[in-house]
Amino acid sequence: MNDAGFEIAATAARLVVEEGLAFGPAKHRALKALGLPGRTALPSNEEVEAQVLDYISLFCADTQPGELLALREHALKWMQRLAEFRPHLGGAVWQGWATRLSDIDLALFCDDPKSAEIALINQNLRYEVQTVRGMHGDDVDVLSLHSFCEDLDEDIGVHLRIYDLDDLRGALLPDAQGRAPRGDLAALTLLLSR
């Protein structure tokens, strides 16, 4: 990684940890904050993640493990609540570098894509719907809501990405580092037992 890429990654990492930004927006804000040209090559997500881990070890080593545990336990509750939709935890909470500002990202694999939305309505839960690029490059609906986490004493964003049941194939293929990109209820339970 060149010097500019390193600076972008380090600045983006600070924004991810301190402001809870996702990697993409953090990289673009870092580019602007550093006054670099818009066509400057951005670092990869893996490079930003490495800087996030370094930042956490330097500045958050005393608080981040407890915050991560609270988020994983909160995610477990949501996964149990939505078990019929085969929830899989992904993102920062699954990968282990989440802080109290991180949201919980769950992929739901549904027989009927509207069934998860109906379940939220039946539970009187308020949510917003948006469309984002999914794991296979197609657009997917995301149901976003706020959920109070007692252990952190604050609201946490919970995002439910709605996939068809067939999308479960290939959803667990390891990333470039050999890690599973998401885990089901059993995998999260095992992670919490360690």
Side-chain angles (χ1 to χ4, degrees):
M1 184 168 32
N2 62 29
D3 289 344
F6 179 82
E7 288 298 319
I8 294 167
T11 303
R14 182 181 53 77
L15 294 169
V16 167
V17 175
E18 292 182 1
E19 297 185 26
L21 292 181
F23 284 0
K27 287 190 272 190
H28 288 285
R29 271 209 20 216
L31 189 68
K32 287 181 184 177
L34 294 168
L36 295 169
R39 294 184 356 198
T40 303
L42 295 175
S44 68
N45 286 346
E46 291 79 16
E47 292 166 331
V48 173
E49 183 177 353
Q51 292 299 310
V52 166
L53 293 171
D54 286 348
Y55 190 93
I56 287 171
S57 70
L58 285 172
F59 300 107
C60 309
D62 56 335
T63 57
Q64 190 268 345
E67 293 172 358
L68 174 63
L69 178 61
L71 288 167
R72 283 180 170 170
E73 289 174 345
H74 199 68
L76 182 70
K77 291 176 186 174
W78 274 98
M79 292 173 78
Q80 291 167 336
R81 187 178 197 173
L82 299 169
E84 67 184 289
F85 305 113
R86 301 165 197 88
H88 284 68
L89 177 64
V93 178
W94 172 251
Q95 295 299 341
W97 47 265
T99 66
R100 70 184 315 111
L101 297 177
S102 302
D103 291 342
I104 294 171
D105 291 307
L106 296 175
L108 304 182
F109 297 93
C110 307
D111 295 314
D112 174 7
K114 287 295 179 191
S115 59
E117 199 167 347
I118 292 168
L120 294 181
I121 292 169
N122 288 341
Q123 294 177 37
N124 293 319
L125 295 171
R126 293 178 35 189
Y127 60 91
E128 295 179 10
V129 181
Q130 57 185 334
T131 303
V132 300
R133 181 118 358 214
M135 67 181 135
H136 300 302
D138 299 327
D139 287 344
V140 297
D141 284 341
V142 178
L143 311 178
S144 297
L145 50 98
H146 292 279
S147 175
F148 186 75
C149 178
E150 290 181 20
D151 291 339
L152 296 176
D153 195 31
E154 63 186 74
D155 278 341
I156 301 298
V158 178
H159 306 287
L160 311 172
R161 295 174 189 262
I162 308 301
Y163 292 100
D164 188 82
L165 182 57
D166 291 340
D167 291 326
L168 190 51
R169 281 186 296 223
L172 304 177
L173 292 175
D175 64 12
Q177 299 171 357
R179 303 175 304 180
R182 58 194 55 82
D184 63 8
L185 190 55
L188 179 59
T189 302
L190 180 63
L191 196 59
L192 285 168
S193 70
R194 293 182 186 163

